[in-house]
Amino acid sequence: QVQLVESGGDLVQPGGSLRLSCVASTSIFSRYVMGWYRQAPGKQRELVATVTGGGNTNYADSVKGRFTISRDNAQNTVYLQMDSLRPEDTAVYYCNARYVRVSWGQGTRVTVSS
């Protein structure tokens, strides 16, 4: 399994921005489909965005136009740029890697509140 380490979670005011990072421990990072998921208190984990090794992206409707997923295959890192944050974006955000098997990170907490 791939080890994934997320960072970047924080407390931010509504309308603010954050960038999450996830570093993967693998020598074949470009083969993985990387994704960000989130889980709000009392809710199920949900997809936020995914990006293939070639850079094709997919977003949940709730974040389209506000969040941008990207990756740096040379640095084994996937990013989630989050702009125009809303209180409903408050959640623990998890990094996900899919290639044959699925791996998850430990999560990083994002709180959007004034």
Side-chain angles (χ1 to χ4, degrees), residues 34-78:
M34 300 299 298
W36 287 97
Y37 289 70
R38 67 186 181 186
Q39 187 166 17
K43 294 188 177 181
Q44 290 187 334
R45 192 172 297 189
E46 63 177 5
L47 169 72
V48 176
T50 62
V51 58
T52 68
N56 292 318
T57 58
N58 179 56
Y59 295 92
D61 287 342
S62 59
V63 306
K64 282 181 181 176
R66 300 188 299 121
F67 291 10
T68 303
I69 189 170
S70 62
R71 64 191 292 162
D72 183 339
N73 289 337
Q75 298 294 324
N76 282 16
T77 303
V78 62

Side-chain angles (χ1 to χ4, degrees), residues 9 25 30 38 86:
S25 62
S30 63
R38 67 186 181 186
R86 305 168 180 168

Side-chain angles (χ1 to χ4, degrees), residues 2-112:
V2 178
Q3 287 193 333
L4 303 171
V5 179
E6 302 107 328
S7 61
D10 206 344
L11 169 64
V12 62
Q13 292 188 342
S17 297
L18 278 177
R19 188 175 82 155
L20 306 183
S21 300
C22 171
V23 180
S25 62
T26 174
S27 61
I28 53 171
F29 179 73
S30 63
R31 298 186 188 182
Y32 283 81
V33 175
M34 300 299 298
W36 287 97
Y37 289 70
R38 67 186 181 186
Q39 187 166 17
K43 294 188 177 181
Q44 290 187 334
R45 192 172 297 189
E46 63 177 5
L47 169 72
V48 176
T50 62
V51 58
T52 68
N56 292 318
T57 58
N58 179 56
Y59 295 92
D61 287 342
S62 59
V63 306
K64 282 181 181 176
R66 300 188 299 121
F67 291 10
T68 303
I69 189 170
S70 62
R71 64 191 292 162
D72 183 339
N73 289 337
Q75 298 294 324
N76 282 16
T77 303
V78 62
Y79 303 97
L80 185 68
Q81 177 66 41
M82 305 186 293
D83 299 317
S84 301
L85 282 161
R86 305 168 180 168
E88 54 263 40
D89 295 318
T90 295
V92 177
Y93 284 70
Y94 296 91
C95 182
N96 169 279
R98 288 188 288 121
Y99 176 68
V100 182
R101 297 179 181 177
V102 176
S103 299
W104 292 93
Q106 82 288 351
T108 186
R109 185 174 301 276
V110 173
T111 302
V112 185

